[in-house]
Amino acid sequence: MPYALKTTIKFATATAALALLATSALAGDLSKGMPGGLKDHRNAGVPVPMPVPYEETFKYYVGGSAGWTFNSNGTMSITADHQMAGEPSKWIDTYSQLQGPHVLSIVAGRYITPSLRAELGIDYRSAQRPAKATKEIHYRGQVRGPMDVIDPTSGLLVPSTQTNTYGLTRTEDVTTQNHTFMLNAYYDLNREGRLKPYIGAGIGLSRRDVTRRTEETVNDCTVGSNDVDPSVLGCQHPGTVGTYLEAPGRIRSSYEERTGWGFAASLMAGASYKLSERTSWDLGYRMTYHGGKVAVVNPSLGGFSSLEIGARLDHEIRTGLRFDVW
């Protein structure tokens, strides 16, 4: 082999070796700072993107409202003591279409889902007057005299009797006031819009406060015929001896208060309008049932008179504000 060719082959071989060494060094430099080198980095998984932040909605709210009851139906009875002969058993028995009270309400609630929310509410109602009436009542009955006599016909000992007629004017003044403690649930039909119609229902407790004022004025007390003993005089209570009725013109008054509890339920429908990020205005209708009954007993001529107020149903219009707090 010629000397020149040998020299050329040696030079080419050395150049190739230098190029290979330079390539290895460059690869080493590029892999610095990469764990596991280029091979491991090339086989790594696809990087996971960072989570996209989002705005969280409010969870809780408070609110208040005011309204008016435009219709109220219920039952009420005033029953006299059965001892009194001739007195009507019931002289005020029902009230209906009673113009209702004003109502104030405060609530605290939570958004359970974007459309469903639940709240606790307290409702205060002003007083109503289901009865303010004056009635003249006349009694006629027999009373037993202070002594027994011998019947001349039979010769037997019999009680002396006489027939008395007596009358009075009785005034009833009754007021009632209902408050409720409710757990309510609402479903908003258009949660994402500014105007949100809603429907709802609630259950809870109803508290009823009743006051009763009565006044009796005795008008007359007339002694009738005496069947046996004409010496027996004076108006007496039926079936008693020596207990006389009030004198004519005598005024007797009484005042009683009672409180009762019962089951309450309601149905609601209305709409709210979003005034700002945190504030909504509500306008709606509510029908509320007040269960339970309250009885009030007052003294009456010859005994007692009982007042009983039963369940009632209110129809209300309310408006108010709701504030998202957190």
Side-chain angles (χ1 to χ4, degrees):
M1 181 181 295
Y3 176 78
L5 179 60
K6 290 181 178 181
T7 303
T8 302
I9 292 174
K10 290 180 179 179
F11 180 77
T13 303
T15 302
L18 290 174
L20 180 61
L21 182 61
T23 302
S24 300
L26 178 61
D29 291 340
L30 290 174
S31 64
K32 288 182 179 179
M34 296 183 182
L38 286 173
K39 179 180 178 181
D40 293 338
H41 182 71
R42 183 171 59 251
N43 294 331
V46 178
V48 178
M50 293 292 293
V52 178
Y54 67 96
E55 182 180 357
E56 190 177 78
T57 58
F58 296 103
K59 291 187 178 70
Y60 300 94
Y61 65 88
V62 296
S65 65
W68 183 68
T69 305
F70 61 88
N71 188 3
S72 181
N73 294 306
T75 61
M76 183 183 73
S77 64
I78 299 178
T79 305
D81 188 280
H82 297 293
Q83 175 178 321
M84 304 305 297
E87 181 176 3
S89 59
K90 294 182 179 180
W91 61 283
I92 299 177
D93 54 1
T94 62
Y95 65 89
S96 62
Q97 306 299 319
L98 184 65
Q99 292 302 307
H102 298 90
V103 56
L104 297 175
S105 178
I106 57 173
V107 299
R110 188 185 194 281
Y111 297 104
I112 301 175
T113 71
S115 296
L116 182 65
R117 53 189 170 95
E119 69 179 28
L120 293 172
I122 301 176
D123 305 315
Y124 170 87
R125 294 171 178 83
S126 59
Q128 291 179 286
R129 177 172 275 119
K132 186 175 183 181
T134 300
K135 185 177 180 65
E136 290 188 8
I137 304 174
H138 296 277
Y139 304 89
R140 180 178 174 83
Q142 289 189 335
V143 299
R144 183 178 178 180
M147 64 181 68
D148 293 334
V149 297
I150 296 177
D151 185 355
T153 303
S154 63
L156 300 176
L157 187 67
V158 296
S160 62
T161 58
Q162 63 184 13
T163 300
N164 294 328
T165 301
Y166 38 89
L168 71 147
T169 299
R170 182 176 178 86
T171 299
E172 291 278 354
D173 189 359
V174 179
T175 60
T176 179
Q177 193 170 12
N178 281 68
H179 313 300
T180 47
F181 305 85
M182 304 295 293
L183 172 62
N184 302 315
Y186 295 89
Y187 187 81
D188 295 315
L189 302 177
N190 183 25
R191 175 62 179 164
E192 300 303 323
R194 296 183 69 88
L195 180 64
K196 305 179 185 64
Y198 65 79
I199 56 175
I203 58 173
L205 292 174
S206 175
R207 169 182 166 140
R208 180 174 303 154
D209 298 323
V210 177
T211 63
R212 185 188 188 193
R213 296 175 176 85
T214 64
E215 184 177 279
E216 290 181 337
T217 303
V218 180
N219 299 328
D220 60 79
C221 179
T222 304
V223 179
S225 62
N226 184 347
D227 297 333
V228 179
D229 187 353
S231 65
V232 178
L233 299 176
C235 285
Q236 299 180 21
H237 287 297
T240 64
V241 176
T243 304
Y244 291 89
L245 299 175
E246 305 287 355
R250 176 74 177 271
I251 297 176
R252 176 171 43 187
S253 61
S254 63
Y255 175 84
E256 297 289 341
E257 292 182 348
R258 291 291 184 274
T259 296
W261 293 85
F263 172 77
S266 60
L267 295 174
M268 296 82 75
S272 63
Y273 184 79
K274 198 171 185 63
L275 299 175
S276 67
E277 182 184 8
R278 291 176 176 265
T279 307
S280 297
W281 170 57
D282 287 345
L283 176 64
Y285 160 80
R286 176 173 299 193
M287 179 176 66
T288 303
Y289 169 81
H290 306 267
K293 64 181 179 180
V294 177
V296 184
V297 179
N298 290 62
S300 179
L301 180 66
F304 298 90
S305 178
S306 298
L307 162 74
E308 185 175 286
I309 297 182
R312 59 180 277 179
L313 188 66
D314 289 346
H315 302 272
E316 301 170 346
I317 293 292
R318 300 184 178 203
T319 184
L321 295 175
R322 190 171 73 245
F323 304 95
D324 296 332
V325 294
W326 180 67

